[in-house]
Amino acid sequence: MEPIITIKHLGKQYAGKTVLNDINLDIYPGQVIGYIGPNGAGKSTTVKILTGIIQDFYGEVTIAGKDLRKDVMEIKKMIGYVPELAELYDLLTPREYLTFVGKLYHLSENVIEERSKRMLDSFGLLANLDQRMDSFSKGMKQKILLTSGLLHNPSIVIFDEPLSGLDVNAVIMVKELLQVMKQEGKTIVYCSHVMDVVEKVSDRIVLINKGEIVANATIGELKKDESDTLEQIFSRLTSSGDQMQKADDFASAINDKTISQ
């Protein structure tokens, strides 16, 4: 089987600082990749390159046999992107916003209308279809982002903290949705700091630290002991010290009564 995403010697610098250094990665159709790392490790930069938002990079990226530099618009058609933070057009209603997004992907009005209603109904937002989004909570807006990112039925989906702000029932639904999409053969890149969810949904874990991949394996292959969790593996591979000790030091700074007032 040929990879659907191939990354070779990917690099990126900002103001002379290297944020991605020689990233090499193959992702196969139908895989769920847990792409994780500490803040500033290079996850978001990688995602923005894959989605065509950042176009000045070193190396090669091929998606579905197409060169990302040469065929960025064609590639964007097959990718769904759900960012952690995005600016919605708050003065629009969900119907207006999803119609706008759907037309960018050249969907018919009937397809946009039917999909929007059914997807929002699954999130319990059908009654809010014609309500302006400036009154929406963070969780409601996140549901709109999820809907807009999947509206065109992409074959590749990139999630960046997709559960941010969602209530418990919505989290359960999205986790089930990931399994359904995987069964449909969609390729998913899942970025999150919620390690227990990443561990449950991912076929492979790709761990990036300081701009370099430090692990690329199944969770079973990464475990030194059967009781190991992904959280423990993450800490072992990326932490510069004992997290328990750091927590004690933090608390002692708060409670230190020798500090003069």
Side-chain angles (χ1 to χ4, degrees), residues 92-111:
L92 297 182
T93 67
R95 186 197 300 272
E96 292 167 340
Y97 179 71
L98 294 172
T99 298
F100 166 70
V101 171
K103 287 187 175 180
L104 288 177
Y105 288 103
H106 305 291
L107 301 179
S108 71
E109 290 188 6
N110 184 58
V111 168

Side-chain angles (χ1 to χ4, degrees), residues 170-222:
V171 168
I172 293 170
M173 184 207 143
V174 172
K175 288 194 287 187
E176 291 297 323
L177 177 62
L178 288 169
Q179 295 303 321
V180 172
M181 291 193 297
K182 177 183 174 181
Q183 291 168 8
E184 291 175 347
K186 295 186 187 299
T187 305
I188 300 169
V189 178
Y190 189 93
C191 306
S192 178
H193 291 296
V194 186
M195 294 293 105
D196 60 330
V197 176
V198 175
E199 183 172 350
K200 288 175 183 175
V201 304
S202 302
D203 297 312
R204 292 186 72 80
I205 304 295
V206 177
L207 177 54
I208 185 172
N209 190 35
K210 298 178 181 178
E212 299 182 350
I213 291 177
V214 296
N216 178 6
T218 67
I219 184 66
E221 291 167 343
L222 290 173

Side-chain angles (χ1 to χ4, degrees), residues 131-148:
Q131 180 182 343
R132 287 195 178 189
M133 293 187 292
D134 58 354
S135 63
F136 282 15
S137 67
K138 176 174 173 52
M140 293 170 73
K141 290 179 179 179
Q142 189 67 15
K143 292 173 183 178
I144 301 299
L145 283 175
L146 281 158
T147 302
S148 66

Side-chain angles (χ1 to χ4, degrees), residues 50-174:
L50 289 176
T51 53
I53 296 171
I54 294 175
Q55 297 183 31
D56 56 327
F57 56 87
Y58 308 106
E60 300 175 16
V61 179
T62 304
I63 299 178
K66 300 179 186 296
D67 186 315
L68 182 58
R69 285 192 175 91
K70 297 177 182 177
D71 298 300
V72 64
M73 295 308 295
E74 287 300 309
I75 288 171
K76 284 185 176 186
K77 292 177 183 178
M78 65 182 77
I79 291 179
Y81 176 40
V82 181
E84 178 184 10
L85 298 171
E87 292 295 329
L88 290 172
Y89 296 100
D90 280 358
L91 294 181
L92 297 182
T93 67
R95 186 197 300 272
E96 292 167 340
Y97 179 71
L98 294 172
T99 298
F100 166 70
V101 171
K103 287 187 175 180
L104 288 177
Y105 288 103
H106 305 291
L107 301 179
S108 71
E109 290 188 6
N110 184 58
V111 168
I112 295 170
E113 179 78 4
E114 288 303 309
R115 284 185 187 171
S116 296
K117 285 182 176 179
R118 291 172 64 179
M119 293 168 81
L120 290 180
D121 192 29
S122 297
F123 276 131
L125 289 181
L126 186 56
N128 306 98
L129 187 61
D130 294 306
Q131 180 182 343
R132 287 195 178 189
M133 293 187 292
D134 58 354
S135 63
F136 282 15
S137 67
K138 176 174 173 52
M140 293 170 73
K141 290 179 179 179
Q142 189 67 15
K143 292 173 183 178
I144 301 299
L145 283 175
L146 281 158
T147 302
S148 66
L150 300 173
L151 187 66
H152 61 296
N153 193 24
S155 57
I156 301 168
V157 185
I158 300 176
F159 290 111
D160 191 356
E161 298 290 356
L163 306 182
S164 178
L166 295 182
D167 57 75
V168 174
N169 287 330
V171 168
I172 293 170
M173 184 207 143
V174 172

